[in-house]
Amino acid sequence: MRAVLDIGLISAKYFFCFLLVLFCEGGVASRNLCAADEPSPPVTWREAYEHLQKGRYEEAEEAYEFLKKQSATKDDLPGEFANSPHPLTGPLYAEIALARIDLETGHRARAYERLEALKKLHSEQPRILGLLAWYAFLNGKLDVAETSAQEAIRMEADELWARRTLAEVYQATGRLKQADEGWRYFVRYYNRVQPEKAEELLLAAEGSLAYARWHTGKQIFDFVLNTLCVDALKADPLFWQAHELSGRLLLEKYNKPQAQQEFQAALAINPRAVTVLLGRAQAAAQDYDWDESNRLAREVLKNAPGEPLAHTLLARSLLFSNQPEAALEQLQLAKAICPTDPITTGLIVAAQIQRDGIRSLPRLKVLLESIDHVADLPAAADAPEAYESTLIAAAKINSACGEVLSTTGEALEMHRKFELAEKFYRAALAVMPQLTAARNNLGMLTLQMARVDEARTMLDQAFKSDPYHMRVSNMRKVIRQLDGYATLSTDHFVIRYDNAQDELLARYMAKFLENEVYPQLVQQFGYEPSTRTTIEIYSKGNGQTAHEWFSARMVGLPWVQTIGASTGMMIALASPNGLNEPYNWSRVIRHEYVHVLTLQQTQFNIPHWYTEALAVRNEGYPRPAEWNDMLRKRVPRRDLRNLSNLNLGFISAKNGDDWNFAYCQSDLYANYLVERFGEPALEKLLLAYRAGKTTEVALKELFQTDIKDFEAGYLDYLDKIVAQLPGQAQANTEYSKNDVEAALEKEPRNAEWLGRAAMLKVKDRRRDEARKLAREALEIDPHCATAAIALAELDLRGEAPEKAIQKLTSAIDSTQPDHQLLQRLLPLLIQTKRWDDALKYASLAETTFPSDISSTIALAEILPHRMDLPRYKAVLEKLSLYENEESEYRLQRAEIAWKENDLPNMARYAAMVLEIDVTEPKAHWLLAEGLSGVKPEEALEEFSIACKLDDELAEAWAGWAVLLHALGQLQEARQKAETALALDAKNARALKVLNK
Ligand SMILES: [Zn+2]
């Protein structure tokens, strides 16, 4: 299962502020200016501006230091506002640029000090005051920010930086009505002034967007994206800030592909733009790609030390991997730079909760209810908890601290503390009803918790205020789809399904869950959920595939890599009937139900790896053959995860193998636990998690061992497993042309390399050279597999399979056969129906390479021709377990049981077919036959389903007739027998029924 979590978004304004909060990455820029000891040559204002926009900060700094001593006309200054009544002089323009360089290279405080000094000399210049206000805000100095902004506005009503700062300050101090007015100013300003300069356009865009987020602002989103950003770039093609804003806006709506394009375009102009790099880090974090997100954040910090958002991103990743202390360290660094940032504060609260837990839920309730008047809170009897102090301090500055609460909610939700997260989202909306992000998150969370009707109302509201949010929009569509679904309720489950496509599946799933899953698992875990578990089966419809609906259900986006998943409160599946390949739905549903039980039982306080380990263990199948091969490869070179990073294997695996291996390793951690401490250890550990303990504490308390010792023992255990694996690993190394040529240069008479060279020639269609090389190799080593395969390929191209087979077989070393050779040979033997040889070599392959299930699959094809029924049955039984996504082996096994009149196996394997494919008529028929003697009622139903699915199945009609006859329903028995005879005039059983 892929965890269904949502990191949520960092509200945009803290994310960036163009012209200012940017920064750099360490590309060494070529320096156009001369070294300091030479006199600086003249540089133009335009050149300096280009350095700045392209992130050549060192050159820009040098240029502006030079230029600030020069005079300039308004036309000299790129980007300067056209109609300002208080135009900047050259030196002031240069100082402002230098402050921006400070900011973009991580010196926020220095940028502020620079403006402060400027103000002392130029208090008559509103832009200086406006920017001073803005920098003060970025440094968390809200008082200075407010007074400077007001001063600036008194001098020049349209001082945009002051306007923006003032709206921010109002918002940050809970004066929401004034903040709203402040944002609305920008919409009016744009309509009134129709600005043309890039910076003015972007400020108008930022303000209008903030306004739009609080209102129904569909047109404004459109307008910002398609007009303002586009116009800004027309006015100034170097103005990457416009790309950045578009990217951020798109990312906010979960349109990641387009967002990435915009970020790329911004970086093409300024590869060191901090806000853009952080935007990309943010996008990675949305996918739980913490490695990438951390890499980008660290890159940012290297070049812009102290950039607060980089610290908060690192903190998110640490919170995710349950390291609240380390997260708090990062957050304190962010706080030191900007103490009033609500994102930082919200994450601090989450980290403190993660570290300390919540001692009293009633006290949390009171605090959240009084958050907008904390001064009235009665003094608590005992000292406040750390998180309470943080919240109260934040609420004293901002009585409408919805952003703080919402951020805490997101972090708690990420940690699957759904109920707590909901409390924080609701509290956020109570004090700040216009907070779209909280409304979106609450609606989506409610859906994850399977409260569909409630979610519908919330998501409708969320959609109204944020119509571009892709996840919200998709989840609303999912709910509409669900509305058309049927419901099947049992004692412990509520199954929702598409009646036209999945009626049969829902019936069998219900039966399977109630009979074979629920009693067994509930007993094993000693836990019963308090409510019935909802299971939603998505099928194709309304232009979407089953898998797309399923994915949209789980994450609001059309790409989840599994076919089944659970939030812990509900389970969703893509219907096997809606996929190209059916899958073993029974295995998946059992796996997911283990998640439901273990997550609920521990109140979601269970590491991801452990719930997966228990889920895999309970699937009831042997370890997949491919896992053994991965173990053989990875264990010796210690290419392994450990308990500190295993959880990430499920979320940000490098590739499919890595992802699968996380399951394998988790399963083996559980096995190791059992081997070392006995079977009850599994339950003990669960109970420890339920009590809120960490793995480390649990190991110490329960088993008197520490993590280090446990990990060391686990590695020994893996070594032991690998040493005991039968047979050999399959080799599948690929060699490039260069590898081969280099190796042959060193060892021209090495058969193996000659053989590989021959293979490459075959691929290049250079037959003669290939043949020559291969023969040379075989002269040196008659068992050289690659050379034999190369020659065989040439024979096959000449359509001479006999010759090919001969070359391959003569190269086989029966004491040490080559895997590739056998793999190439077996299909040829089967194609040419050489059953004896095929049997011989398939058997050899199976014993030598047991991790390669393909030889067993070959045996299933060969054995029917060799009259070795016991062995054939054994092979089919093995494949029923190892190839447990395929129904055909199970069906074949059931059919043999039919021929042998072996009723129990007939019923058993037929039922196993239905666990993969409920629409297979023969399986229903064979199940019916198998059950006839023991459960006649069920058998009658199975006969009827079989004949409905395939009304030409004579034997099913006949069997039905026999059973009805035995039950004394003579007339019906006659009817069925007649139908059987109509299909097969000689059907013995039907004839017998009629003759009776
Ligand atoms: Zn799972």
Side-chain angles (χ1 to χ4, degrees):
M1 149 197 141
R2 178 175 161 136
V4 176
L5 309 162
D6 168 25
I7 181 178
L9 282 165
I10 295 180
S11 132
K13 63 182 180 286
Y14 300 97
F15 202 63
F16 99 123
C17 49
F18 52 101
L19 272 193
L20 301 171
V21 190
L22 314 175
F23 130 94
C24 57
E25 179 263 317
V28 181
S30 65
R31 304 188 66 125
N32 291 344
L33 298 179
C34 298
D37 52 350
E38 290 171 42
S40 295
V43 58
T44 65
W45 290 94
R46 180 73 215 168
E47 284 162 349
Y49 178 73
E50 282 194 22
H51 286 318
L52 179 54
Q53 281 303 109
K54 291 183 173 178
R56 300 193 293 253
Y57 294 116
E58 295 80 6
E59 288 84 341
E61 188 180 350
E62 226 169 307
Y64 283 119
E65 287 291 352
F66 167 81
L67 288 167
K68 78 179 182 190
K69 292 163 206 135
Q70 316 295 318
S71 60
T73 67
K74 197 167 71 179
D75 294 338
D76 291 334
L77 307 176
E80 176 51 354
F81 299 164
N83 304 311
S84 171
H86 298 87
L88 291 173
T89 61
L92 278 187
Y93 179 95
E95 282 289 351
I96 289 173
L98 287 165
R100 190 188 136 190
I101 294 170
D102 284 340
L103 189 68
E104 295 185 19
T105 52
H107 304 288
R108 234 180 230 217
R110 200 162 80 196
Y112 170 70
E113 284 155 17
R114 197 184 281 273
L115 261 299
E116 219 183 10
L118 273 184
K119 185 202 162 183
K120 286 192 184 125
L121 300 171
H122 298 281
S123 57
E124 79 295 345
Q125 172 48 267
R127 185 91 59 88
I128 297 296
L129 291 169
L131 282 168
L132 173 64
W134 179 244
Y135 284 107
F137 174 73
L138 292 179
N139 282 282
K141 299 176 195 300
L142 300 184
D143 291 346
V144 182
E146 185 168 351
T147 45
S148 302
Q150 276 165 341
E151 233 178 298
I153 292 168
R154 270 197 298 277
M155 283 183 221
E156 187 181 326
D158 286 335
E159 210 311 290
L160 297 183
W161 285 107
R163 286 283 180 185
R164 182 174 183 197
T165 307
L166 204 53
E168 293 282 12
V169 171
Y170 286 144
Q171 189 172 326
T173 50
R175 288 170 282 176
L176 298 184
K177 225 176 142 198
Q178 284 144 293
D180 195 41
E181 273 303 308
W183 296 127
R184 191 176 177 190
Y185 157 86
F186 284 94
V187 180
R188 293 175 164 172
Y189 164 80
Y190 179 83
N191 291 337
R192 170 167 54 82
V193 177
Q194 301 281 310
E196 288 172 357
K197 292 284 182 179
E199 186 178 326
E200 295 170 301
L201 284 164
L202 260 280
L203 280 164
E206 284 290 349
S208 308
L209 271 181
Y211 181 75
R213 283 191 192 99
W214 288 7
H215 299 272
T216 306
K218 194 171 187 315
Q219 298 93 327
I220 293 180
F221 287 124
D222 271 336
F223 192 66
V224 165
L225 209 55
N226 300 318
T227 306
L228 291 184
C229 288
V230 174
D231 285 353
L233 280 160
K234 262 188 221 153
D236 180 358
L238 290 181
F239 203 67
W240 54 264
Q241 291 89 339
H243 286 301
E244 195 258 4
L245 174 60
S246 303
R248 189 155 38 78
L249 183 56
L250 289 160
L251 191 63
E252 189 179 308
K253 309 302 171 204
Y254 285 86
N255 186 341
K256 213 174 89 175
Q258 283 189 29
Q260 292 285 28
Q261 281 174 18
E262 293 291 341
F263 289 147
Q264 286 301 350
L267 289 176
I269 300 169
N270 179 0
R272 297 166 72 180
V274 169
T275 47
V276 183
L277 290 169
L278 289 171
R280 291 183 57 196
Q282 180 81 3
Q286 267 187 13
D287 283 351
Y288 302 98
D289 186 352
W290 298 115
D291 285 350
E292 177 68 358
S293 163
N294 291 344
R295 185 186 69 77
L296 287 161
R298 289 207 189 90
E299 199 172 297
V300 165
L301 285 175
K302 211 165 62 194
N303 297 286
E307 173 54 43
L309 186 64
H311 288 299
T312 57
L313 272 167
L314 289 174
R316 276 179 196 266
S317 145
L318 289 162
L319 283 177
F320 188 83
S321 53
N322 212 358
Q323 301 179 62
E325 287 289 3
L328 280 168
E329 275 172 34
Q330 293 295 331
L331 293 166
Q332 292 306 342
L333 293 171
K335 195 178 173 184
I337 296 159
C338 183
T340 52
D341 178 28
I343 307 300
T344 308
T345 310
L347 291 176
I348 289 177
V349 173
Q352 288 168 330
I353 292 175
Q354 198 179 95
R355 184 191 60 190
D356 309 333
I358 289 179
R359 259 185 284 148
S360 162
L361 282 175
R363 246 169 70 171
L364 169 68
K365 188 166 178 271
V366 173
L367 174 56
L368 291 181
E369 280 167 2
S370 336
I371 202 79
D372 56 351
H373 51 279
V374 282
D376 303 341
L377 271 175
D382 48 353
E385 299 184 44
Y387 87 87
E388 290 175 325
S389 304
T390 311
L391 266 182
I392 290 169
K396 279 183 182 157
I397 299 169
N398 184 358
S399 59
C401 58
E403 289 172 286
V404 172
L405 297 166
S406 177
T407 304
T408 307
E410 283 166 20
L412 290 167
E413 187 184 345
M414 185 169 82
H415 244 254
R416 297 184 294 195
K417 305 275 180 219
F418 295 148
E419 283 167 21
L420 272 184
E422 181 176 354
K423 288 187 172 65
F424 276 86
Y425 290 146
R426 286 192 187 277
L429 286 169
V431 292
M432 204 175 166
Q434 56 275 75
L435 197 59
T436 325
R439 178 161 292 110
N440 290 341
N441 288 340
L442 182 59
M444 294 191 289
L445 176 63
T446 309
L447 190 59
Q448 305 293 32
M449 293 169 84
R451 302 194 320 245
V452 177
D453 289 332
E454 231 179 296
R456 183 197 331 266
T457 318
M458 288 182 190
L459 289 170
D460 283 351
Q461 280 174 10
F463 183 75
K464 246 187 223 159
S465 50
D466 193 0
Y468 279 150
H469 196 285
M470 273 175 66
R471 298 181 58 207
V472 166
S473 161
N474 286 340
M475 286 192 179
R476 286 177 79 234
K477 289 180 194 156
V478 167
I479 291 178
R480 281 205 295 274
Q481 191 72 1
L482 263 182
D483 286 343
Y485 279 9
T487 305
L488 175 59
S489 297
T490 66
D491 288 349
H492 307 106
F493 299 93
V494 178
I495 303 179
R496 307 291 317 273
Y497 61 97
D498 178 341
N499 199 38
Q501 299 179 59
D502 287 325
E503 194 262 339
L504 209 50
L505 176 63
R507 264 162 66 185
Y508 281 85
M509 195 175 284
K511 229 195 288 187
F512 181 75
L513 283 165
E514 287 293 354
N515 297 340
E516 314 211 11
V517 175
Y518 189 86
Q520 186 207 333
L521 293 183
V522 159
Q523 199 211 6
Q524 181 188 334
F525 290 109
Y527 173 80
E528 272 187 273
S530 58
T531 53
R532 287 189 292 185
T533 304
T534 303
I535 293 168
E536 296 165 5
I537 306 171
Y538 287 90
S539 60
K540 60 174 180 273
N542 289 327
Q544 304 289 314
T545 65
H547 188 256
E548 282 166 342
W549 280 121
F550 156 74
S551 305
R553 171 63 177 89
M554 295 317 287
V555 296
L557 297 170
W559 33 263
V560 171
Q561 60 191 333
T562 59
I563 25 97
S566 169
T567 62
M569 304 303 289
M570 52 77 63
I571 296 170
L573 305 168
S575 165
N577 302 329
L579 302 175
N580 295 335
E581 294 269 315
Y583 66 89
N584 191 328
W585 57 263
S586 70
R587 190 174 76 125
V588 172
I589 199 80
R590 191 197 289 273
H591 177 112
E592 299 305 335
Y593 194 56
V594 172
H595 288 319
V596 170
L597 292 178
T598 53
L599 288 167
Q600 289 190 17
Q601 180 176 21
T602 59
Q603 283 152 354
F604 293 87
N605 206 2
I606 179 173
H608 199 154
W609 72 265
Y610 195 51
T611 179
E612 293 298 354
L614 295 172
V616 170
R617 271 177 88 77
N618 277 288
E619 287 177 14
Y621 288 103
R623 189 163 60 232
E626 310 87 74
W627 288 13
N628 285 340
D629 238 32
M630 284 196 256
L631 284 168
R632 260 197 273 248
K633 279 173 201 154
R634 289 184 179 224
V635 171
R637 60 172 197 251
R638 294 294 188 255
D639 181 6
L640 303 166
R641 290 181 185 269
N642 57 35
L643 289 179
S644 76
N645 62 16
L646 186 53
N647 292 343
L648 291 177
F650 301 103
I651 289 133
S652 52
K654 283 175 242 141
N655 50 48
D657 264 8
D658 205 39
W659 188 61
N660 266 316
F661 199 63
Y663 288 90
C664 172
Q665 267 201 263
S666 300
D667 184 36
L668 288 171
Y669 266 113
N671 288 358
Y672 171 59
L673 201 65
V674 170
E675 181 183 271
R676 187 160 161 191
F677 304 110
E679 189 76 33
L682 292 177
E683 198 188 340
K684 283 188 198 162
L685 187 55
L686 258 183
L687 292 176
Y689 287 134
R690 187 201 171 103
K693 304 212 163 113
T694 61
T695 309
E696 195 169 356
V697 171
L699 287 177
K700 192 160 280 167
E701 288 183 8
L702 296 173
F703 313 117
Q704 291 75 50
T705 176
D706 58 23
I707 290 266
K708 221 176 123 192
D709 172 67
F710 187 76
E711 295 279 22
Y714 174 69
L715 291 179
D716 290 343
Y717 174 72
L718 292 186
D719 284 335
K720 202 173 80 187
I721 298 256
V722 170
Q724 287 168 354
L725 287 176
Q728 301 166 17
Q730 327 155 23
N732 49 4
T733 321
E734 293 249 344
Y735 294 93
S736 72
K737 208 167 168 179
N738 287 346
D739 295 337
V740 174
E741 278 169 9
L744 273 180
E745 190 109 322
K746 275 194 209 148
E747 300 176 79
R749 294 281 294 161
N750 179 310
E752 214 25 61
W753 291 114
L754 285 166
R756 286 186 191 123
M759 284 296 289
L760 290 171
K761 296 288 179 199
V762 170
K763 274 190 198 142
D764 288 350
R765 304 191 157 271
R766 303 173 80 143
R767 288 162 185 248
D768 293 343
E769 289 169 58
R771 195 166 283 126
K772 190 168 157 272
L773 284 163
R775 286 193 180 137
E776 201 181 330
L778 285 168
E779 259 168 43
I780 300 166
D781 174 8
H783 294 308
C784 177
T786 41
I789 295 171
L791 288 180
E793 295 298 342
L794 294 174
D795 288 334
L796 287 171
R797 283 187 190 172
E799 299 197 359
E802 301 295 326
K803 283 190 193 167
I805 288 169
Q806 192 268 324
K807 297 218 170 73
L808 293 170
T809 37
S810 59
I812 285 178
D813 177 352
S814 57
T815 56
Q816 225 184 343
D818 180 89
H819 182 249
Q820 264 184 303
L821 202 56
L822 287 169
Q823 270 203 322
R824 193 66 197 91
L825 175 63
L826 276 174
L828 292 177
L829 293 173
I830 292 171
Q831 264 167 35
T832 54
K833 301 190 176 15
R834 296 165 155 235
W835 302 118
D836 284 332
D837 279 349
L839 181 60
K840 178 175 141 197
Y841 289 114
S843 306
L844 180 64
E846 196 190 29
T847 38
T848 322
F849 307 104
S851 300
D852 179 7
I853 208 74
S854 72
S855 45
T856 316
I857 293 172
L859 281 170
E861 213 172 324
I862 298 159
L863 283 164
H865 304 279
R866 287 300 87 180
M867 302 298 160
D868 185 351
L869 198 57
R871 181 140 185 231
Y872 183 39
K873 283 195 285 192
V875 161
L876 291 175
E877 282 163 19
K878 180 176 171 188
L879 290 173
S880 297
L881 292 181
Y882 281 91
E883 288 291 282
N884 54 51
E885 300 294 328
E886 302 289 335
S887 59
E888 57 176 309
Y889 304 113
R890 297 168 174 205
L891 186 59
Q892 282 167 26
R893 181 64 189 86
E895 282 175 327
I896 292 176
W898 159 251
K899 282 177 197 144
E900 295 185 327
N901 202 24
D902 168 5
L903 299 179
N905 276 324
M906 205 188 304
R908 177 165 172 231
Y909 284 95
M912 282 170 74
V913 173
L914 298 180
E915 288 172 7
I916 298 168
D917 184 1
V918 291
T919 62
E920 171 54 58
K922 280 187 184 165
H924 289 282
W925 158 52
L926 291 167
L927 179 58
E929 301 281 0
L931 292 176
S932 284
V934 276
K935 292 180 178 168
E937 287 304 315
E938 271 183 50
L940 284 177
E941 196 189 335
E942 291 300 330
F943 277 125
S944 103
I945 295 170
C947 294
K948 205 164 156 189
L949 287 170
D950 180 0
D951 59 7
E952 295 185 0
L953 209 55
E955 212 52 83
W957 291 105
W960 199 355
V962 171
L963 177 58
L964 286 166
H965 195 269
L967 295 173
Q969 300 177 32
L970 303 181
Q971 201 181 338
E972 283 202 48
R974 285 191 71 85
Q975 274 174 12
K976 311 297 178 209
E978 276 160 12
T979 312
L981 286 174
L983 293 162
D984 170 13
K986 289 182 187 158
N987 188 292
R989 293 196 298 166
L991 283 171
K992 213 166 160 192
V993 168
L994 286 177
N995 290 340
K996 277 173 189 163

